[in-house]
Amino acid sequence: MMDLRDFRFLEAVAETGSVTRAAGRLGCVQSNVTTRLRKLEDRLGQKLVERIDGRMVPTAAGAMALDYGARIVRLSEEAEKRLRSAAEAFPPLRLGTMETTAAVRLPPLLKAARAQLPDLRLSITTGTSGELVAALGRGDIDLAFVAEEAAEARFESVPLFEEDLVEVLPIGGAAEAAAVVFRAGCCYRARFAEAFGDLPLLELGTLDGIMGCVAAGLGRTLLPEAAVERWRRAGEVETRPLPPGRGRVGTLALFRAASPSRRSIDALVALARG
């Protein structure tokens, strides 16, 4: 594969017209230039320079290689500039969040981040608490907003906020005897089983899907009150409080203590805590 050093040698020969002068520009002996060019030509299977009237000039293939090389250099310089800029400001941050948190808590947080942390580059994925903890452990994400039950000692944790959980049913309360829940690894699913026992499961991957199925009378669910408020206000579902001691759940920020994105993590977590 042609690298930047190959391009520098070829460029020096093309611009000076001489292997000797190219060696002087590059600060090496003539044989190094000759050997590198010969190896590059052997690898590509064609001549890149030829001697015309006493000067070394690029062939058509050599001109093509120089054009690609110039583009590689520009991209390399651009990448270095952007990465240095990111290091001076905020490193890129990959956030994983629960679907319910993304629906309710994330929009105002993102608005505040745009205003107060304009240099922060953020990518977002959603999943269950279990999925997010696993992704954090693999290094696929840098920061996870998860339920407090998902905390693990290997990660740093910061409390963010607490949620009031409610039972969600279709209007009139008549629902099939089924639990409409997120995939395995969701803390609300586990809380449902604790509160109402084991029921047939209807698993979905999105909050909209769960609420649509509950509204249609296909079952009931357990979710943060704030996450289902717009459906309740629209008259699509009704909610019931849980017994005392079962209706609260905390949300944590989890991250690796030595994360390269720690500066961005600290800034976003501080913003999330208000």
Side-chain angles (χ1 to χ4, degrees):
M1 182 180 296
M2 185 176 179
D3 62 24
L4 290 180
R5 288 174 298 174
D6 293 328
F7 168 70
R8 295 300 189 192
F9 275 74
L10 177 59
E11 180 185 51
V13 172
E15 290 182 353
T16 64
S18 162
V19 170
T20 301
R21 287 191 291 272
R25 173 189 287 189
L26 296 168
C28 64
V29 298
Q30 179 178 337
S31 60
N32 283 357
V33 178
T34 302
T35 300
R36 182 173 284 271
L37 281 179
R38 184 180 299 117
K39 288 183 177 180
L40 180 59
E41 289 177 332
D42 290 344
R43 192 160 70 246
L44 298 178
Q46 52 191 323
K47 295 287 290 182
L48 299 178
V49 293
E50 59 180 333
R51 185 176 296 277
I52 299 179
D53 294 334
R55 283 184 60 84
M56 301 296 291
V57 298
T59 64
M64 182 184 299
L66 286 167
D67 178 62
Y68 276 111
R71 282 187 265 174
I72 291 169
V73 168
R74 285 196 299 271
L75 286 172
S76 176
E77 291 173 346
E78 178 184 343
E80 182 173 349
K81 181 179 179 181
R82 290 194 174 186
L83 288 169
R84 286 185 180 277
S85 176
E88 293 169 0
F90 293 103
L93 178 61
R94 300 166 298 175
L95 170 65
T97 176
M98 295 180 292
E99 180 86 12
T100 52
T101 303
V104 179
R105 303 283 185 171
L106 208 55
L109 175 59
L110 295 180
K111 183 177 180 179
R114 176 172 292 183
Q116 300 181 42
L117 306 171
D119 296 328
L120 178 63
R121 285 174 291 170
L122 186 65
S123 60
I124 302 168
T125 58
T126 61
T128 66
S129 290
E131 291 169 343
L132 296 173
V133 169
L136 188 61
R138 293 192 303 268
D140 293 340
I141 59 176
D142 308 301
L143 173 64
F145 290 171
V146 299
E148 59 189 351
E149 289 95 328
E152 293 188 5
R154 57 178 170 153
F155 301 124
E156 294 285 324
S157 66
V158 176
L160 294 180
F161 38 79
E162 288 196 339
E163 304 279 13
D164 291 310
L165 294 178
V166 292
E167 182 185 5
V168 189
L169 305 101
I171 293 298
E176 296 289 336
V180 186
V181 292
F182 286 109
R183 298 178 298 272
C186 173
C187 72
Y188 307 135
R189 169 176 172 159
R191 289 287 190 100
F192 185 100
E194 290 175 5
F196 304 109
D198 291 327
L199 292 175
L201 300 178
L202 179 55
E203 294 185 353
L204 292 103
T206 66
L207 179 61
D208 282 334
I210 287 176
M211 296 305 295
C213 287
V214 172
L218 300 179
R220 51 186 171 151
T221 192
L222 190 68
L223 289 171
E225 185 175 23
V228 303
E229 180 61 17
R230 70 179 177 92
W231 283 276
R232 190 193 64 78
R233 287 201 311 265
E236 298 178 27
V237 299
E238 62 182 56
T239 61
R240 295 176 185 169
L242 296 184
R246 293 186 175 181
R248 299 284 282 177
V249 63
T251 297
L252 305 177
L254 288 188
F255 50 90
R256 297 181 301 278
S259 171
S261 296
R262 184 61 186 265
R263 187 185 306 171
S264 298
I265 290 169
D266 289 344
L268 190 67
V269 169
L271 199 59
R273 300 188 74 192

